[in-house]
Amino acid sequence: MATGELTKRVDESELGYGEALMASGRVSAAKMYEPAAPAGPFTTRQLARLDEALTFASRETGLDFSLYLGELGEDSRSSAEKLHSSTTDPANSVLIAVSPGERKIEIVTGKTAHVRLPDRGAKLAVASMVASFKEGDLVRGLVNGLVNALRMLSDQAGPAPR
């Protein structure tokens, strides 16, 4: 058998929608691919914006900022504290936990982080987020509110100690 020769002949009547038999005997197929939808209510761009804000706040302050979005349950503070304790370095971590369905926001700071980020700063960040949520578009409010809150928290904490 010579190089490039096909072993099986294709009958054009067997071709499916979007398939064509080429002069070489090869079957070419055109297929529609749907882009994968991002997980949850956020677009890829919104997720990238949140990630950028978290990364900036962490690098700027030396604190480990993280975000939880989901249900917290009846004892939201306890749930948020449990999530915070599961971070890599809880003492140096700041967790922002938001439960839109329950209308709850919790900010948990570790021992080291709390020295640099007192409750007053956290309360201002929560007030900023609540104001963003009231604009009507929950997803956009979450993104804008969280990004603004992260800026406020990182400004409050100041630069990482040297």
Side-chain angles (χ1 to χ4, degrees):
M1 177 182 289
T3 305
E5 237 178 74
L6 297 176
T7 57
K8 180 183 174 199
R9 293 299 251 177
V10 176
D11 183 3
E12 285 190 54
S13 65
E14 296 176 13
L15 297 176
Y17 181 76
E19 295 179 332
L21 184 59
M22 307 308 290
S24 65
R26 183 178 62 83
V27 174
S28 178
K31 296 181 181 180
M32 293 295 291
Y33 290 97
E34 295 294 323
F42 301 106
T43 65
T44 303
R45 187 174 184 179
Q46 290 168 327
L47 288 171
R49 204 167 152 221
L50 286 170
D51 182 62
E52 184 179 294
L54 285 164
T55 301
F56 175 79
S58 294
R59 283 186 185 155
E60 187 74 15
T61 63
L63 300 174
D64 183 19
F65 282 86
S66 56
L67 171 65
Y68 171 81
L69 182 62
E71 296 214 8
L72 292 168
E74 249 181 74
D75 188 359
S76 59
R77 186 66 189 179
S78 177
S79 297
E81 287 172 349
K82 187 175 180 181
L83 288 165
H84 178 265
S85 69
S86 70
T87 60
T88 307
D89 182 10
N92 201 45
S93 294
V94 178
L95 170 72
I96 302 171
V98 181
S99 178
E102 298 170 312
R103 297 176 160 245
K104 294 179 182 178
I105 300 171
E106 297 284 351
I107 297 181
V108 183
T109 54
K111 287 182 181 183
T112 306
H114 186 74
V115 172
R116 296 183 47 215
L117 188 59
D119 291 342
R120 183 175 180 272
K123 286 178 184 176
L124 288 171
V126 168
S128 169
M129 283 187 279
V130 169
S132 290
F133 301 160
K134 288 183 178 179
E135 292 176 8
D137 181 355
L138 180 64
V139 173
R140 186 174 290 144
L142 277 169
V143 173
N144 293 338
L146 289 167
V147 168
N148 289 336
L150 285 164
R151 281 192 197 120
M152 291 175 72
L153 292 169
S154 63
D155 287 347
Q156 182 82 36
R162 295 176 192 242

